[in-house]
Amino acid sequence: MKVRVDLHNHLTTNTDSVRRIDFNKVIDKSKKRLGIGGILGIVSFSDKRYETFVNSKGGYEREKLKNAVYVPRKYILVIKGQEIVTKQGHLLILGIDEGKLLKDGRSVEDSLKEAEDNNGISIVVHPFMNGIGPYLEANPHLLEKIHGIEVHNGESFLGDRAAKRFYEKIKRDYNVGAVSFSDGHSIYEIGLSYTNLYMHLIKEPEKLNMHLEYAIRAHKDSSQDKQHNSYLGALDHIIDMVVTAGLQKLGVNIK
């Protein structure tokens, strides 16, 4: 079964804003853009953005897994992710258990090991825009621990050309897939970019990760995926970050 997956979404720039997001609106947008069987990734940083969202009160009935939530009324699966800030750049880990927080500030090697120890799926996001692309070029053996390369990022699209060139160089020697995600920081960006994967709905956490990992690795051709450049989303995100930084300088605590 071919399903659409957008596994890199943050919902908002600031963590506290997630509390004000309507659960049903996110799921409805996911159903509209990703369709039946679609998989949405809600990605935390060093916070509990995913947990805040999936445990919000009200909204559609949901079936809790250890690392995901299934919404049967809309046939949408929401999987947990965390974007880790390593010493060499950002790295996305998918499918870790709810409540688990991986460490920031470590080397890529240590972060990949921690992800593996937690049954996580490792994705190189925006490789050449604050990502670990240059480090992987110098240390290609680490690609054996990587499951996917984000060759298109909806908000960091300026780095897509370099990411695609890099993937073309390594795809024959390493079993790594090519993925396209939105990296949205708003509801309206959900599913603007997505990857088509062949997989079935799995409700067992370990099997879900295993099947998702296999499907990502097997996806070598991204030409039929949806790759949207989110100019407005990127601008909104930059403005939010500037405002947040300004408020923090004034002593206002923004999470």
Side-chain angles (χ1 to χ4, degrees):
M1 176 181 175
K2 182 187 287 187
V3 298
R4 297 173 179 177
V5 305
D6 185 6
L7 304 177
H8 189 181
N9 295 271
H10 299 287
L11 294 182
T12 67
T13 299
N14 301 317
T15 308
D16 277 356
S17 301
V18 177
R19 303 180 192 280
R20 298 190 291 273
I21 287 179
D22 185 284
F23 182 87
N24 286 6
K25 286 185 178 179
V26 172
I27 301 303
D28 288 344
K29 183 66 71 175
S30 301
K31 174 65 177 301
K32 180 179 180 180
R33 297 261 175 83
L34 303 177
I36 292 175
I39 306 177
L40 175 71
I42 300 297
V43 178
S44 305
F45 283 101
S46 56
D47 54 46
K48 293 194 174 181
R49 191 171 308 211
Y50 168 85
E51 286 81 358
T52 300
F53 174 71
V54 299
N55 292 309
S56 59
K57 296 181 179 179
Y60 298 129
E61 178 184 352
R62 58 209 82 162
E63 299 176 12
K64 296 287 290 292
L65 310 178
K66 289 171 61 179
N67 56 357
V69 165
Y70 180 60
V71 184
R73 182 172 174 180
K74 296 294 180 175
Y75 308 101
I76 292 293
L77 185 72
V78 181
I79 191 168
K80 178 181 175 179
Q82 182 183 341
E83 189 165 343
I84 300 171
V85 182
T86 76
K87 291 180 179 179
Q88 291 80 22
H90 291 208
L91 179 68
L92 171 61
I93 309 300
L94 296 166
I96 52 178
D97 289 350
E98 181 175 344
K100 179 68 180 180
L101 193 64
L102 305 186
K103 296 179 181 178
D104 282 329
R106 307 173 76 185
S107 67
V108 169
E109 291 86 347
D110 287 342
S111 292
L112 288 172
K113 178 62 168 59
E114 187 178 20
E116 185 177 36
D117 290 344
N118 286 276
N119 196 35
I121 300 167
S122 299
I123 307 291
V124 179
V125 289
H126 40 76
F128 295 93
M129 295 285 288
N130 206 24
I132 64 173
Y135 191 70
L136 290 178
E137 286 182 318
N139 299 276
H141 64 281
L142 292 175
L143 287 163
E144 295 179 359
K145 301 287 187 180
I146 300 295
H147 303 105
I149 303 286
E150 193 179 58
V151 296
H152 171 78
N153 179 292
E155 285 202 4
S156 298
F157 49 85
L158 294 177
D160 285 354
R161 189 171 297 178
K164 289 173 181 174
R165 283 199 301 263
F166 175 65
Y167 182 73
E168 287 301 313
K169 288 180 182 178
I170 62 93
K171 71 176 184 179
R172 292 176 180 83
D173 297 321
Y174 298 94
N175 187 21
V176 180
V179 293
S180 303
F181 300 141
S182 67
D183 193 10
H185 293 76
S186 61
I187 294 177
Y188 71 80
E189 291 175 89
I190 289 172
L192 286 179
S193 295
Y194 60 73
T195 303
N196 294 294
L197 296 182
Y198 285 95
M199 62 180 294
H200 295 285
L201 173 64
I202 306 292
K203 293 186 182 181
E204 298 177 50
E206 290 76 15
K207 288 186 178 180
L208 169 60
N209 280 14
M210 181 178 67
H211 282 259
L212 185 57
E213 173 187 326
Y214 178 83
I216 289 173
R217 284 190 186 276
H219 190 74
K220 311 295 186 184
D221 181 5
S222 64
S223 62
Q224 300 303 309
D225 297 333
K226 186 174 182 183
Q227 300 181 340
H228 174 83
N229 295 338
S230 187
Y231 299 102
L232 182 59
L235 179 61
D236 284 349
H237 182 41
I238 291 170
I239 292 172
D240 285 346
M241 289 193 297
V242 170
V243 170
T244 298
L247 290 174
Q248 288 176 334
K249 283 185 178 181
L250 292 174
V252 180
N253 184 25
I254 302 293
K255 294 183 179 179

